[in-house]
Amino acid sequence: MIVNIEKIVYGGKGLGKLNSKTCFIPYVLPNEKVKINIKKDKKSFCEGYPLEILEKSEYRVNPECEYYTKCGGCDFQHISYEKQLDLKKEILEEALFRLGKIEKKVDKIIPSENPFYYRNRVQFKINNGEFGFFAPESNDVINIDSCKISHLKINEAIESLKKLSKNHKNIKEIHIFYPNTEKALLNIYLNEFEELDFQTIKENLPISINGAGIYLKNKRIKTFGKSFTFEKVGKYNFRISLDSFFQVNRFQIENILNEVLKEIEENKIVGDIFCGVGLFTIPVAKKSKKSFGVEINKSAVKDANYNLKINNIQNTKIFETSASKALDIISGYQPEILIFDPPRTGLYKDLINKVLNLKKLEKIVYVSCNPATASRDINLLADKFKLKKVKMIDMFPQTHHIESIFVLERI
Ligand SMILES: C[S@@+](CC[C@H](N)C(=O)[O-])C[C@H]1O[C@@H](n2cnc3c(N)ncnc32)[C@H](O)[C@@H]1O
């Protein structure tokens, strides 16, 4: 079967028509003619797999990684980096149009200084002696010896992490976080309890680690060494613990912070909802009259409070609660600017309703890793807040994932 690819849709697949039925195919480009086989045939659409590219796009490049298409980590490596950014821009604008019901072009694109070796955090999976990543749309583990999107230092550690997992059959996952400025952290997940010797782990690794957490049933049951490390971003210092979130593209951390910071006017009352360890909260506090952060994760809240101290911030409070409850607790603050950086699910309807009732709120800076949920939320805010600016910051080169910053102002 032969399909002409019309465009790339959110999720990274190409869209083409097969006897007027919509067909989704991975690893293709717009205007390519592709020979496919059908993997899934549903009533209203089908899913295919490319067998041969009969007419190639000028933007097709040879993937750098030998595991490309076998490993599920990347799905844009066959596309030149410039074209990846173009496609993401189109997908973002289409999401805004279809789901946000708003015609708005992307105002600024911030590419990653290096589109490879950018990940500072990697989650290795282990199963049946294989060490690597899940295959596309599967939980089968694909064995790898290197990863082109991960920090070179993480690549250096792969061989010894593999050995560690061979010597301890109960290890099912190893996460590694390698910040720009300090030593690494390991999170080791077990199927069943097994003793591990930290000294041996440390001595066998070619990179320095600050500490390691051992997890059983997703609960940390033991900590070796320190439970945290540090990262310096611009002039700010951040403690990041084993169980806290931090931005994963090491070349874009300072850029995303600066893009948010530019939108915050001096001397305002500012709230940072979904604040993590305070990446935005702390620099924002320096230029605010008063500010607050909201975060549900205990570990991140502890880090954020610690980070307030080491960065000499006195005008800010961190609330450990869910975003949906936060706006009741902080009603005394009367925020003028709110920053949101939610997980992929976006905001919740009840949270948006509360936001709409904040009388003093002038501006919303919405950082999103999911154009679909962000567009939905922007539409729900549209009665009172107009989308003024869209910036796309590429946090995830070689993959279809899109990160953007939306700036909304009261009408
Ligand atoms: C995408 S991260 C952003 C963190 C921070 N802005 C940064 O750049 O490092 C989202 C954060 O939201 C937190 N979170 C998830 N669900 C939440 C909820 N319902 N209420 C409050 N925080 C939540 C997570 O723990 C995580 O720290």
Side-chain angles (χ1 to χ4, degrees), residues 245 247 274-276 279-280 295-297 321-323 341-343 348:
F245 169 92
Q247 299 287 344
F274 307 94
C275 71
L279 176 66
F280 305 144
E295 169 60 50
I296 203 166
N297 177 303
T321 181
S322 75
D341 185 4
Y348 317 86

Side-chain angles (χ1 to χ4, degrees), residues 37 66 110 186 360 391 397:
N37 65 4
E66 60 182 295
I110 303 118
L186 290 184
K360 295 267 171 66
K391 305 192 242 191

Side-chain angles (χ1 to χ4, degrees), residues 246-260:
F246 203 65
Q247 299 287 344
V248 299
N249 183 327
R250 63 199 207 93
F251 301 111
Q252 294 284 51
I253 305 171
E254 198 168 344
N255 291 342
I256 196 167
L257 167 59
N258 287 338
E259 291 302 331
V260 168

Side-chain angles (χ1 to χ4, degrees), residues 107 192 237 240 286:
D107 299 284
E192 275 171 51
N237 290 300
I240 304 148
K286 289 270 186 200

Side-chain angles (χ1 to χ4, degrees), residues 163-385:
K163 272 194 199 136
L164 172 68
S165 69
K166 281 222 160 65
N167 292 337
H168 298 278
K169 297 283 178 236
N170 284 310
I171 299 180
K172 62 169 185 174
E173 270 183 45
I174 302 178
H175 301 186
I176 179 164
F177 173 52
Y178 197 101
N180 288 328
T181 30
E182 258 273 3
K183 292 178 188 168
L185 289 176
L186 290 184
N187 306 55
I188 301 175
Y189 291 81
L190 301 174
N191 281 316
E192 275 171 51
F193 183 71
E194 185 176 340
E195 283 294 349
L196 295 163
D197 178 37
F198 185 52
Q199 211 43 42
T200 319
I201 297 174
K202 238 176 135 169
E203 278 163 16
N204 289 334
L205 275 170
I207 58 168
S208 307
I209 56 171
N210 237 16
I214 311 298
Y215 295 76
L216 190 64
K217 296 189 176 120
N218 287 330
K219 253 202 142 108
R220 176 141 52 99
I221 53 162
K222 220 171 197 173
T223 308
F224 295 126
K226 294 202 175 96
S227 60
F228 52 78
T229 185
F230 288 91
E231 183 73 298
K232 194 169 170 104
V233 185
K235 52 183 186 220
Y236 306 100
N237 290 300
F238 297 93
R239 185 183 83 179
I240 304 148
S241 292
L242 280 162
D243 303 321
S244 304
F245 169 92
F246 203 65
Q247 299 287 344
V248 299
N249 183 327
R250 63 199 207 93
F251 301 111
Q252 294 284 51
I253 305 171
E254 198 168 344
N255 291 342
I256 196 167
L257 167 59
N258 287 338
E259 291 302 331
V260 168
L261 217 44
K262 269 182 211 166
E263 304 304 332
I264 311 297
E265 287 87 12
E266 300 271 337
N267 222 21
K268 298 280 182 188
I269 301 174
V270 188
D272 181 11
I273 320 288
F274 307 94
C275 71
V277 303
L279 176 66
F280 305 144
T281 330
I282 280 145
V284 159
K286 289 270 186 200
K287 61 196 291 202
S288 313
K289 190 194 286 175
K290 199 158 80 169
S291 65
F292 62 90
V294 173
E295 169 60 50
I296 203 166
N297 177 303
K298 228 184 203 24
S299 162
V301 171
K302 274 193 187 157
D303 285 338
N305 277 317
Y306 185 89
N307 293 335
L308 289 177
K309 276 198 202 117
I310 60 171
N311 290 285
N312 288 320
I313 308 284
Q314 267 113 29
N315 62 348
T316 300
K317 196 167 156 44
I318 307 292
F319 295 90
E320 184 187 327
T321 181
S322 75
S324 52
K325 290 197 189 125
L327 293 189
D328 304 325
I329 301 174
I330 55 89
S331 56
Y333 271 83
Q334 311 255 22
E336 293 159 293
I337 305 177
L338 281 183
I339 301 167
F340 291 109
D341 185 4
R344 301 187 56 73
T345 40
L347 307 181
Y348 317 86
K349 215 167 180 175
D350 60 331
L351 173 59
I352 290 183
N353 285 338
K354 285 175 192 165
V355 170
L356 289 170
N357 283 328
L358 289 170
K359 299 274 178 304
K360 295 267 171 66
L361 188 63
E362 300 159 4
K363 194 175 197 181
I364 297 170
V365 181
Y366 187 151
V367 181
S368 158
C369 57
N370 184 342
T373 52
S375 299
R376 174 204 67 196
D377 294 342
I378 288 166
N379 180 248
L380 291 171
L381 290 162
D383 270 355
K384 292 198 178 153
F385 292 90

